[in-house]
Short mmCIF file of all heavy atoms in Angstrom, two decimals:
data_model
loop_
_atom_site.label_atom_id
_atom_site.label_comp_id
_atom_site.label_asym_id
_atom_site.label_seq_id
_atom_site.Cartn_x
_atom_site.Cartn_y
_atom_site.Cartn_z
N GLY A 28 0.80 -1.22 0.00
CA GLY A 28 0.00 0.00 0.00
C GLY A 28 0.83 1.27 0.00
O GLY A 28 0.56 2.21 -0.75
N VAL A 29 1.85 1.31 0.84
CA VAL A 29 2.69 2.51 0.93
C VAL A 29 3.45 2.76 -0.38
O VAL A 29 3.46 3.90 -0.87
CB VAL A 29 3.65 2.41 2.14
CG1 VAL A 29 4.67 3.54 2.12
CG2 VAL A 29 2.85 2.44 3.44
N PRO A 30 4.08 1.75 -0.99
CA PRO A 30 4.74 2.01 -2.27
C PRO A 30 3.80 2.52 -3.35
O PRO A 30 4.18 3.37 -4.15
CB PRO A 30 5.34 0.65 -2.64
CG PRO A 30 5.49 -0.07 -1.37
CD PRO A 30 4.36 0.39 -0.49
N LEU A 31 2.57 2.00 -3.39
CA LEU A 31 1.63 2.46 -4.41
C LEU A 31 1.28 3.93 -4.19
O LEU A 31 1.19 4.71 -5.15
CB LEU A 31 0.37 1.60 -4.41
CG LEU A 31 0.56 0.13 -4.77
CD1 LEU A 31 -0.77 -0.59 -4.79
CD2 LEU A 31 1.28 -0.03 -6.09
N ALA A 32 1.11 4.30 -2.93
CA ALA A 32 0.85 5.72 -2.64
C ALA A 32 2.05 6.57 -3.05
O ALA A 32 1.88 7.69 -3.55
CB ALA A 32 0.56 5.89 -1.15
N ALA A 33 3.25 6.04 -2.85
CA ALA A 33 4.45 6.79 -3.21
C ALA A 33 4.51 7.04 -4.72
O ALA A 33 4.90 8.13 -5.16
CB ALA A 33 5.70 6.02 -2.75
N VAL A 34 4.14 6.04 -5.51
CA VAL A 34 4.13 6.22 -6.96
C VAL A 34 3.17 7.34 -7.34
O VAL A 34 3.48 8.18 -8.21
CB VAL A 34 3.75 4.90 -7.66
CG1 VAL A 34 3.51 5.13 -9.15
CG2 VAL A 34 4.84 3.85 -7.46
N ALA A 35 2.03 7.39 -6.69
CA ALA A 35 1.06 8.45 -6.97
C ALA A 35 1.60 9.83 -6.63
O ALA A 35 1.15 10.83 -7.19
CB ALA A 35 -0.23 8.20 -6.20
N LEU A 36 2.61 9.88 -5.77
CA LEU A 36 3.19 11.15 -5.36
C LEU A 36 4.53 11.42 -6.04
O LEU A 36 5.27 12.30 -5.62
CB LEU A 36 3.34 11.19 -3.83
CG LEU A 36 2.01 11.26 -3.06
CD1 LEU A 36 2.24 11.02 -1.57
CD2 LEU A 36 1.33 12.59 -3.29
N GLY A 37 4.86 10.64 -7.07
CA GLY A 37 6.03 10.96 -7.87
C GLY A 37 7.22 10.04 -7.72
O GLY A 37 8.26 10.27 -8.34
N ALA A 38 7.12 8.98 -6.92
CA ALA A 38 8.25 8.06 -6.78
C ALA A 38 8.49 7.30 -8.07
O ALA A 38 7.57 6.71 -8.64
CB ALA A 38 7.99 7.06 -5.64
N CYS A 39 9.72 7.32 -8.54
CA CYS A 39 10.05 6.62 -9.79
C CYS A 39 10.77 5.29 -9.53
O CYS A 39 10.99 4.52 -10.46
CB CYS A 39 10.93 7.50 -10.67
SG CYS A 39 12.54 7.89 -9.97
N MET A 40 11.11 5.03 -8.27
CA MET A 40 11.82 3.81 -7.91
C MET A 40 11.27 3.31 -6.58
O MET A 40 11.05 4.10 -5.66
CB MET A 40 13.32 4.09 -7.78
CG MET A 40 14.15 2.87 -7.40
SD MET A 40 15.92 3.26 -7.13
CE MET A 40 16.35 4.01 -8.68
N ILE A 41 11.03 2.01 -6.50
CA ILE A 41 10.57 1.39 -5.26
C ILE A 41 11.51 0.24 -4.92
O ILE A 41 11.74 -0.65 -5.74
CB ILE A 41 9.14 0.84 -5.39
CG1 ILE A 41 8.15 1.94 -5.78
CG2 ILE A 41 8.72 0.15 -4.09
CD1 ILE A 41 7.95 3.01 -4.76
N GLU A 42 12.04 0.28 -3.70
CA GLU A 42 12.91 -0.79 -3.23
C GLU A 42 12.21 -1.50 -2.08
O GLU A 42 11.78 -0.86 -1.13
CB GLU A 42 14.25 -0.22 -2.76
CG GLU A 42 15.20 -1.26 -2.21
CD GLU A 42 16.45 -0.62 -1.60
OE1 GLU A 42 17.41 -0.41 -2.35
OE2 GLU A 42 16.44 -0.29 -0.40
N LYS A 43 12.08 -2.82 -2.20
CA LYS A 43 11.46 -3.63 -1.15
C LYS A 43 12.30 -4.87 -0.90
O LYS A 43 12.81 -5.50 -1.83
CB LYS A 43 10.05 -4.06 -1.56
CG LYS A 43 9.02 -2.96 -1.56
CD LYS A 43 8.57 -2.56 -0.15
CE LYS A 43 7.60 -3.53 0.43
NZ LYS A 43 7.00 -3.05 1.69
N HIS A 44 12.44 -5.24 0.36
CA HIS A 44 13.09 -6.50 0.70
C HIS A 44 12.19 -7.65 0.27
O HIS A 44 10.96 -7.57 0.37
CB HIS A 44 13.35 -6.57 2.21
CG HIS A 44 14.42 -5.65 2.67
ND1 HIS A 44 15.53 -6.07 3.38
CD2 HIS A 44 14.57 -4.30 2.54
CE1 HIS A 44 16.31 -5.04 3.65
NE2 HIS A 44 15.73 -3.95 3.15
N VAL A 45 12.82 -8.72 -0.22
CA VAL A 45 12.07 -9.84 -0.77
C VAL A 45 12.57 -11.15 -0.17
O VAL A 45 13.79 -11.34 0.02
CB VAL A 45 12.21 -9.88 -2.31
CG1 VAL A 45 11.50 -11.10 -2.89
CG2 VAL A 45 11.64 -8.61 -2.92
N THR A 46 11.64 -12.05 0.13
CA THR A 46 11.99 -13.36 0.65
C THR A 46 11.13 -14.41 -0.04
O THR A 46 10.12 -14.08 -0.67
CB THR A 46 11.77 -13.43 2.17
OG1 THR A 46 12.25 -14.68 2.67
CG2 THR A 46 10.30 -13.27 2.55
N LEU A 47 11.52 -15.66 0.07
CA LEU A 47 10.70 -16.72 -0.50
C LEU A 47 9.44 -16.95 0.32
O LEU A 47 8.37 -17.19 -0.20
CB LEU A 47 11.50 -18.02 -0.59
CG LEU A 47 12.72 -18.00 -1.53
CD1 LEU A 47 13.44 -19.35 -1.48
CD2 LEU A 47 12.30 -17.68 -2.97
N SER A 48 9.60 -16.86 1.65
CA SER A 48 8.47 -17.04 2.56
C SER A 48 8.81 -16.42 3.90
O SER A 48 9.87 -16.73 4.47
CB SER A 48 8.15 -18.53 2.73
OG SER A 48 7.21 -18.72 3.77
N ARG A 49 7.94 -15.57 4.41
CA ARG A 49 8.19 -14.99 5.74
C ARG A 49 8.19 -16.06 6.82
O ARG A 49 8.86 -15.90 7.84
CB ARG A 49 7.13 -13.92 6.04
CG ARG A 49 7.37 -12.60 5.31
CD ARG A 49 6.41 -11.53 5.79
NE ARG A 49 5.05 -11.80 5.39
CZ ARG A 49 4.52 -11.47 4.22
NH1 ARG A 49 5.26 -10.85 3.31
NH2 ARG A 49 3.26 -11.76 3.94
N ALA A 50 7.46 -17.14 6.58
CA ALA A 50 7.42 -18.22 7.57
C ALA A 50 8.78 -18.88 7.76
O ALA A 50 9.01 -19.53 8.79
CB ALA A 50 6.39 -19.27 7.15
N ASP A 51 9.68 -18.72 6.79
CA ASP A 51 11.01 -19.31 6.91
C ASP A 51 11.91 -18.55 7.87
O ASP A 51 13.01 -19.01 8.20
CB ASP A 51 11.69 -19.36 5.53
CG ASP A 51 10.99 -20.31 4.58
OD1 ASP A 51 10.21 -21.15 5.06
OD2 ASP A 51 11.23 -20.21 3.36
N GLY A 52 11.46 -17.38 8.31
CA GLY A 52 12.26 -16.58 9.23
C GLY A 52 13.44 -15.92 8.56
O GLY A 52 13.58 -15.94 7.33
N GLY A 53 14.30 -15.32 9.36
CA GLY A 53 15.45 -14.61 8.83
C GLY A 53 15.44 -13.18 9.34
O GLY A 53 14.42 -12.67 9.82
N VAL A 54 16.57 -12.51 9.23
CA VAL A 54 16.72 -11.20 9.85
C VAL A 54 15.77 -10.15 9.27
O VAL A 54 15.37 -9.21 9.95
CB VAL A 54 18.18 -10.70 9.75
CG1 VAL A 54 19.10 -11.56 10.58
CG2 VAL A 54 18.64 -10.65 8.30
N ASP A 55 15.40 -10.29 8.00
CA ASP A 55 14.57 -9.28 7.35
C ASP A 55 13.17 -9.77 6.98
O ASP A 55 12.40 -9.04 6.36
CB ASP A 55 15.25 -8.80 6.05
CG ASP A 55 16.59 -8.16 6.31
OD1 ASP A 55 16.77 -7.57 7.38
OD2 ASP A 55 17.46 -8.26 5.42
N SER A 56 12.86 -11.00 7.32
CA SER A 56 11.64 -11.61 6.78
C SER A 56 10.38 -10.85 7.19
O SER A 56 9.43 -10.77 6.41
CB SER A 56 11.54 -13.07 7.24
OG SER A 56 11.48 -13.16 8.65
N ALA A 57 10.35 -10.29 8.39
CA ALA A 57 9.13 -9.66 8.89
C ALA A 57 8.66 -8.50 8.03
O ALA A 57 7.46 -8.22 7.96
CB ALA A 57 9.33 -9.20 10.33
N PHE A 58 9.58 -7.80 7.38
CA PHE A 58 9.18 -6.66 6.56
C PHE A 58 9.51 -6.88 5.08
O PHE A 58 9.68 -5.93 4.32
CB PHE A 58 9.84 -5.36 7.06
CG PHE A 58 11.34 -5.41 7.19
CD1 PHE A 58 12.16 -5.02 6.15
CD2 PHE A 58 11.92 -5.84 8.38
CE1 PHE A 58 13.53 -5.05 6.26
CE2 PHE A 58 13.30 -5.87 8.50
CZ PHE A 58 14.11 -5.47 7.45
N SER A 59 9.55 -8.14 4.68
CA SER A 59 9.85 -8.48 3.29
C SER A 59 8.61 -8.96 2.56
O SER A 59 7.68 -9.50 3.16
CB SER A 59 10.91 -9.58 3.24
OG SER A 59 12.12 -9.12 3.79
N LEU A 60 8.61 -8.77 1.25
CA LEU A 60 7.52 -9.26 0.41
C LEU A 60 7.79 -10.70 -0.03
O LEU A 60 8.94 -11.07 -0.30
CB LEU A 60 7.37 -8.41 -0.85
CG LEU A 60 6.95 -6.95 -0.67
CD1 LEU A 60 6.81 -6.29 -2.04
CD2 LEU A 60 5.67 -6.82 0.13
N GLU A 61 6.75 -11.48 -0.11
CA GLU A 61 6.84 -12.80 -0.73
C GLU A 61 6.66 -12.63 -2.24
O GLU A 61 6.21 -11.58 -2.70
CB GLU A 61 5.79 -13.73 -0.13
CG GLU A 61 6.06 -14.00 1.36
CD GLU A 61 5.04 -14.93 1.99
OE1 GLU A 61 3.99 -15.20 1.34
OE2 GLU A 61 5.29 -15.40 3.12
N PRO A 62 7.03 -13.64 -3.03
CA PRO A 62 7.02 -13.48 -4.49
C PRO A 62 5.68 -13.01 -5.07
O PRO A 62 5.65 -12.17 -5.98
CB PRO A 62 7.40 -14.86 -4.99
CG PRO A 62 8.30 -15.40 -3.91
CD PRO A 62 7.69 -14.91 -2.63
N ASP A 63 4.55 -13.55 -4.57
CA ASP A 63 3.28 -13.13 -5.13
C ASP A 63 2.98 -11.67 -4.80
O ASP A 63 2.35 -10.95 -5.60
CB ASP A 63 2.14 -14.03 -4.64
CG ASP A 63 1.98 -14.03 -3.14
OD1 ASP A 63 2.97 -13.76 -2.42
OD2 ASP A 63 0.86 -14.31 -2.65
N GLU A 64 3.45 -11.20 -3.65
CA GLU A 64 3.26 -9.79 -3.29
C GLU A 64 4.14 -8.89 -4.15
O GLU A 64 3.73 -7.79 -4.54
CB GLU A 64 3.57 -9.60 -1.81
CG GLU A 64 2.62 -10.34 -0.88
CD GLU A 64 3.11 -10.39 0.56
OE1 GLU A 64 4.33 -10.54 0.77
OE2 GLU A 64 2.27 -10.30 1.47
N LEU A 65 5.35 -9.35 -4.42
CA LEU A 65 6.23 -8.59 -5.30
C LEU A 65 5.62 -8.48 -6.70
O LEU A 65 5.65 -7.41 -7.32
CB LEU A 65 7.61 -9.25 -5.37
CG LEU A 65 8.62 -8.59 -6.31
CD1 LEU A 65 8.94 -7.16 -5.86
CD2 LEU A 65 9.91 -9.42 -6.39
N ALA A 66 5.04 -9.58 -7.17
CA ALA A 66 4.40 -9.55 -8.48
C ALA A 66 3.24 -8.55 -8.49
O ALA A 66 3.06 -7.81 -9.47
CB ALA A 66 3.90 -10.95 -8.85
N ALA A 67 2.48 -8.51 -7.40
CA ALA A 67 1.38 -7.55 -7.30
C ALA A 67 1.92 -6.13 -7.30
O ALA A 67 1.32 -5.23 -7.91
CB ALA A 67 0.57 -7.82 -6.04
N LEU A 68 3.03 -5.90 -6.62
CA LEU A 68 3.62 -4.57 -6.59
C LEU A 68 4.04 -4.13 -7.99
O LEU A 68 3.80 -2.98 -8.39
CB LEU A 68 4.84 -4.55 -5.66
CG LEU A 68 5.65 -3.25 -5.64
CD1 LEU A 68 4.79 -2.08 -5.17
CD2 LEU A 68 6.89 -3.39 -4.76
N VAL A 69 4.65 -5.03 -8.74
CA VAL A 69 5.09 -4.70 -10.10
C VAL A 69 3.88 -4.28 -10.95
O VAL A 69 3.90 -3.25 -11.62
CB VAL A 69 5.82 -5.90 -10.75
CG1 VAL A 69 6.09 -5.62 -12.22
CG2 VAL A 69 7.13 -6.17 -10.01
N VAL A 70 2.83 -5.07 -10.89
CA VAL A 70 1.65 -4.80 -11.71
C VAL A 70 0.93 -3.53 -11.25
O VAL A 70 0.61 -2.64 -12.04
CB VAL A 70 0.67 -6.01 -11.67
CG1 VAL A 70 -0.65 -5.64 -12.34
CG2 VAL A 70 1.30 -7.21 -12.36
N GLU A 71 0.68 -3.45 -9.95
CA GLU A 71 -0.13 -2.34 -9.44
C GLU A 71 0.63 -1.01 -9.44
O GLU A 71 0.01 0.05 -9.60
CB GLU A 71 -0.63 -2.65 -8.03
CG GLU A 71 -1.54 -3.88 -7.96
CD GLU A 71 -2.76 -3.78 -8.86
OE1 GLU A 71 -3.23 -2.65 -9.13
OE2 GLU A 71 -3.25 -4.84 -9.31
N SER A 72 1.93 -1.04 -9.27
CA SER A 72 2.69 0.21 -9.33
C SER A 72 2.67 0.78 -10.74
O SER A 72 2.59 2.00 -10.93
CB SER A 72 4.13 0.01 -8.85
OG SER A 72 4.85 -0.87 -9.70
N ARG A 73 2.72 -0.09 -11.73
CA ARG A 73 2.61 0.40 -13.11
C ARG A 73 1.22 0.98 -13.37
O ARG A 73 1.07 2.02 -14.01
CB ARG A 73 2.92 -0.73 -14.11
CG ARG A 73 2.90 -0.24 -15.55
CD ARG A 73 3.23 -1.35 -16.54
NE ARG A 73 3.13 -0.87 -17.92
CZ ARG A 73 4.10 -0.28 -18.59
NH1 ARG A 73 5.27 -0.09 -18.01
NH2 ARG A 73 3.91 0.13 -19.83
#
């Protein structure tokens, strides 16, 4: 949601942490996108 709002306000680049699955854990997993969410970001940001 936040990146999409940023695009509407002029953001030309979006950087998001990405993981295979948040359930797998890891230092960044809690605030990372899973692949299907990343795909949605690509489509919806355009």
Side-chain angles (χ1 to χ4, degrees):
V29 171
L31 297 183
V34 170
L36 291 169
C39 64
M40 180 185 304
I41 302 294
E42 178 187 271
K43 288 285 283 189
H44 289 235
V45 176
T46 186
L47 296 178
S48 170
R49 283 188 292 275
D51 294 343
V54 294
D55 299 330
S56 61
F58 54 92
S59 296
L60 296 182
E61 295 181 348
D63 60 334
E64 295 167 323
L65 178 62
L68 174 61
V69 172
V70 171
E71 298 303 332
S72 64
R73 184 179 176 86

